[in-house]
Amino acid sequence: QVRLVETGGGSVQPEESLSLSCAISGATDCRRTMSWYRQTPGREREFVSSIDSDGRTTYAYSVKGRFTISQNNAGNMVYLQMNNLKPEDTAMYYCQRVPSSPCTPTVYWGHGIQVHVSS
């Protein structure tokens, strides 16, 4: 029933900016952590950033200082503002939702959205 839908991907040049959105529907009434992951063909999926129900954020070293994760007050929209993009940021970006204890830690994924950075 839980559904995550990513929007906002596209193609940009290095040093440009892009913003991603993740819409959450059908979620249970639980505290949760929302995360962004990314994956390039032939490579493992890697963690990018996360934000919990209290608004606490975490960033991968590779994006710290360039990306900003945020959410709306209702907690049903999560965003990833990506500034100073680099070619290495090119990947499929996935939204993830994981309920926090004592709720069952079921992992939900969006279908992903493509981000391409090149000159």
Side-chain angles (χ1 to χ4, degrees), residues 4-106:
L4 309 177
V5 180
E6 303 95 336
T7 57
S11 297
V12 296
Q13 297 185 113
E15 301 184 323
E16 293 285 338
S17 297
L18 199 61
S19 182
L20 305 181
S21 297
C22 175
I24 308 157
S25 62
T28 55
D29 187 20
C30 296
R31 296 175 65 80
R32 83 297 182 268
T33 296
M34 297 296 304
S35 300
W36 288 97
Y37 283 75
R38 65 187 182 186
Q39 186 170 30
T40 300
R43 300 180 63 182
E44 63 184 7
R45 189 170 297 186
E46 67 173 341
F47 171 81
V48 176
S49 184
S50 68
I51 186 167
D52 65 17
S53 294
D54 295 321
R56 297 185 183 278
T57 59
T58 301
Y59 297 93
Y61 177 80
S62 60
V63 306
K64 189 172 297 184
R66 299 188 299 119
F67 291 11
T68 302
I69 191 170
S70 62
Q71 62 193 351
N72 66 348
N73 291 332
N76 60 355
M77 290 291 295
V78 177
Y79 312 96
L80 185 67
Q81 178 64 46
M82 303 181 290
N83 297 327
N84 191 25
L85 283 161
K86 304 176 179 180
E88 305 92 273
D89 295 318
T90 295
M92 186 75 75
Y93 283 70
Y94 297 89
C95 182
Q96 181 204 66
R97 179 181 185 274
V98 181
S100 302
S101 179
C103 291
T104 303
T106 305

